[in-house]
């Protein structure tokens, strides 16, 4: 029996069409995009084409798109660069949600050590940052507000348009981490009004190690990676041409197929939830109506999540006890604690995340193995 993959929020496989478009840039198109000769020009043309395509898909301008080594770098860049730029205007306060990815949380801790005043916003029991929570904290000293568009552990969507408006009214920059949002929801940076937005290619069937930071023109961005003039002098380092090409192809394909894939994935999630709901003591964390179609964060009362994930893996089903980067740690999820769960409840929670290639047969088999595993672990 094939292993079942229910961990698409951690990463997705590279789509075969995407891979095909990347391969020539490992072979005959291997040039350094900054070389002033035919090989360099060919590589640079591919990067320019990818930048134009990404800009078009996000409703941005090509000179607002910066390629990075992934979501983590884009998040670090937005947080640090945004905060440093605004400090020059006398604004040394940063507000972020308490459920951000560690790439944002760790950047905020660094800023705090450097003397910035950092405020972490609470969430309600559904895992949402509310307009009231931001309004209660924001002031004229606030330079940067960061709230993710969708949470990576619960899939819960955040009211970023409203939060962005509040930030703008106070003259602060607004950054949103759209790494989990982008694979399932169309993005229009103009309509959203955000100053910065991050994406990561491997969440939408593109290659790992490649991401985007959108920086609205007019925002005085500072570079973090020095030593080269790439990305208009703001991000040094030889451009990863095959990955950039792959990211753009993946984003386009994902956008074109989004609606159909979302319908399929949502139906699979609903089927899975119906199947496992015959167990006692099953609670969904977060409101699945205000959530990405792919994620199901669920608590099995009395079952330790690390034991569950280990036993499911032995039975050929792959899922996560939280976010991938933190899943080796035994700490309870900061996201679930922020939603009001206690430590035991957080450690009884797991994340299933479904994808476009999952089948109904996998859902039924995965649900049956889930029920067996929960019952066996409860009986021990
Ligand atoms: N932000 C969120 C919300 C994520 O889920 C992730 C990855 O899991 C990242 C940032 C980091 O992206 P990357 O893996 O490309 O560094």
């Amino acid at each position: 029996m094939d292993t079942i993959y229910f961990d698409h929020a951690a990463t997705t496989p590279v789509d075969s069409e995407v891979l095909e478009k990347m391969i020539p840039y490992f072979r005959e198109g291997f040039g350094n995009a900054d070389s002033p000769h035919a090989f360099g020009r060919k590589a640079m043309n591919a990067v320019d084409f990818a930048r134009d395509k990404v800009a078009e898909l996000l409703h941005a301008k090509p000179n607002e798109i910066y390629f990075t080594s992934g979501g983590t770098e884009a998040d670090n860049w937005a947080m640090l660069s945004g905060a440093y730029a605004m400090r020059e205007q006398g604004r040394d306060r940063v507000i972020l949600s308490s459920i951000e990815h560690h790439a944002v949380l760790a950047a905020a801790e660094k800023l705090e050590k450097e003397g910035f005043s950092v405020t972490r916003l609470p969430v309600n029991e559904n895992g949402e940052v509310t307009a009231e929570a931001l309004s209660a904290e924001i002031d004229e000293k606030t330079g940067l507000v960061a709230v993710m568009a969708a949470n990576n552990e619960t899939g819960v969507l955040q009211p970023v348009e409203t939060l962005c408006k509040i930030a703008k009214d106070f003259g602060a920059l607004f950054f949103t981490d759209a790494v989990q949002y982008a694979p399932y929801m169309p993005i229009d940076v103009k309509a959203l009004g955000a100053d910065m937005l991050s994406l990561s290619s491997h969440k939408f069937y593109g290659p790992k190690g490649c991401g985007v930071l959108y920086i609205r023109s007019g925002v005085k961005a500072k570079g973090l990676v020095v030593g080269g003039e790439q990305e208009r002098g703001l991000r040094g380092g030889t451009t990863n041409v095959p990955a950039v090409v792959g990211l753009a192809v993946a984003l386009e394909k994902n956008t074109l197929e989004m609606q159909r894939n979302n319908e399929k994935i949502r139906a699979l999630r609903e089927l899975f939830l119906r199947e496992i709901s015959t167990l006692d003591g099953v609670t969904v964390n977060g409101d699945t109506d205000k959530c990405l179609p792919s994620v199901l964060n669920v608590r099995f009362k009395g079952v330790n999540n690390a034991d569950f994930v280990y036993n499911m893996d032995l039975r050929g089903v792959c899922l996560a006890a939280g976010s991938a980067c933190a899943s080796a740690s035994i700490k309870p999820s900061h996201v679930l604690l922020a939603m009001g769960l206690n430590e035991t409840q957080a450690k009884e929670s797991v994340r299933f995340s479904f994808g476009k290639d999952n089948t109904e047969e996998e859902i039924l088999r995965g649900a049956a193995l889930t029920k067996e595993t929960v019952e066996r672990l409860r009986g021990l």
Side-chain angles (χ1 to χ4, degrees):
M1 247 343 146
D2 286 343
T3 305
I4 299 176
Y5 188 73
F6 289 159
D7 201 10
H8 292 81
T11 196
T12 55
V14 176
D15 183 280
S16 40
E17 253 179 67
V18 171
L19 184 60
E20 249 172 60
K21 295 269 169 49
M22 290 171 66
I23 285 173
Y25 295 94
F26 288 109
R27 293 188 173 144
E28 64 279 9
F30 69 88
N32 183 326
D34 290 298
S35 295
H37 51 55
F39 279 87
R41 279 193 299 279
K42 182 168 182 188
M44 187 51 98
N45 283 344
V47 173
D48 286 344
F49 185 80
R51 199 184 307 280
D52 290 351
K53 181 55 73 189
V54 171
E56 182 193 320
L57 293 166
L58 302 182
H59 303 268
K61 292 181 230 144
N63 66 1
E64 295 175 319
I65 302 299
Y66 296 84
F67 292 115
T68 68
S69 66
T72 301
E73 185 193 328
D75 284 356
N76 275 221
W77 187 4
M79 290 297 290
L80 301 178
S81 156
Y84 296 151
M86 294 307 280
R87 183 167 57 184
E88 287 172 5
Q89 297 179 25
R91 292 171 175 258
D92 62 357
R93 189 161 178 226
V94 172
I95 299 182
L96 67 155
S97 84
S98 49
I99 57 164
E100 294 299 304
H101 187 270
H102 287 284
V104 172
L105 293 175
E109 277 167 31
K110 178 172 156 58
L111 291 167
E112 207 165 27
K113 287 195 189 113
E114 292 173 10
F116 282 86
S117 151
V118 174
T119 304
R120 294 161 184 88
L121 298 177
V123 291
N124 65 18
E125 70 278 9
N126 283 329
E128 285 168 301
V129 180
T130 62
E132 294 72 41
L134 177 58
S135 298
E137 287 293 346
I138 196 162
D139 60 12
E140 309 292 342
K141 293 290 281 178
T142 307
L144 175 66
V145 175
V147 179
M148 66 201 325
N151 182 263
N152 47 305
E153 293 189 31
T154 59
V156 171
L157 299 166
Q158 303 299 325
V160 278
E161 260 180 65
T162 311
L163 301 173
C164 180
K165 278 197 193 82
I166 298 171
K168 290 321 198 52
D169 286 347
F170 277 82
L173 293 178
F174 186 80
F175 161 57
T176 190
D177 170 339
V179 167
Q180 294 289 342
Y181 184 89
Y184 306 97
M185 312 294 277
I187 293 179
D188 181 339
V189 287
K190 290 283 167 299
L192 178 60
D195 297 293
M196 294 178 284
L197 177 144
S198 59
L199 303 181
S200 175
S201 147
H202 73 104
K203 307 292 185 182
F204 46 83
Y205 303 87
K208 292 170 185 56
C210 192
V212 165
L213 182 63
Y214 156 81
I215 307 179
R216 186 177 59 71
S217 53
V219 172
K220 287 193 182 61
K222 292 177 183 299
L224 290 189
V225 184
V226 292
E229 286 306 308
Q230 290 86 357
E231 299 300 301
R232 296 177 296 293
L234 288 184
R235 198 268 179 185
T238 303
T239 306
N240 186 347
V241 180
V244 161
V245 167
L247 179 148
V249 175
L251 189 63
E252 181 172 38
K253 187 164 185 202
N254 192 73
T255 307
L256 292 172
E257 296 176 355
M258 187 178 280
Q259 202 184 340
R260 193 172 32 135
N261 287 340
N262 282 358
E263 279 165 20
K264 173 182 173 182
I265 295 168
R266 185 175 283 110
L268 291 177
R269 180 183 66 184
E270 277 165 17
L271 174 62
F272 185 81
L273 182 57
R274 265 203 311 280
E275 290 291 313
I276 63 167
S277 293
T278 55
L279 282 168
D280 288 335
V282 176
T283 320
V284 175
N285 297 316
D287 182 349
T288 48
D289 289 337
K290 291 185 187 166
C291 182
L292 297 173
S294 51
V295 177
L296 180 67
N297 193 306
V298 69
R299 177 160 77 88
F300 299 117
K301 196 171 186 313
V303 177
N304 176 273
N305 56 9
D307 294 341
F308 179 76
V309 169
Y310 175 75
N311 279 275
M312 287 290 278
D313 185 30
L314 291 180
R315 287 154 185 246
V317 185
C318 300
L319 72 142
S323 66
C325 337
S327 56
S329 80
I330 47 156
K331 280 205 228 135
S333 147
H334 67 285
V335 175
L336 300 178
L337 294 181
M339 288 165 68
L341 274 71
N342 63 32
E343 291 212 359
T344 307
Q345 292 169 330
K347 284 187 177 184
E348 291 171 343
S349 299
V350 293
R351 178 188 71 190
F352 294 91
S353 49
F354 307 104
K356 64 177 181 171
D357 298 322
N358 282 136
T359 62
E360 215 171 284
E361 184 277 324
E362 288 178 325
I363 294 292
L364 295 175
R365 187 152 53 92
L369 289 166
T370 296
K371 291 198 276 190
E372 255 176 63
T373 305
V374 167
E375 275 163 357
R376 202 177 70 80
L377 291 173
R378 279 183 180 157
L380 287 180

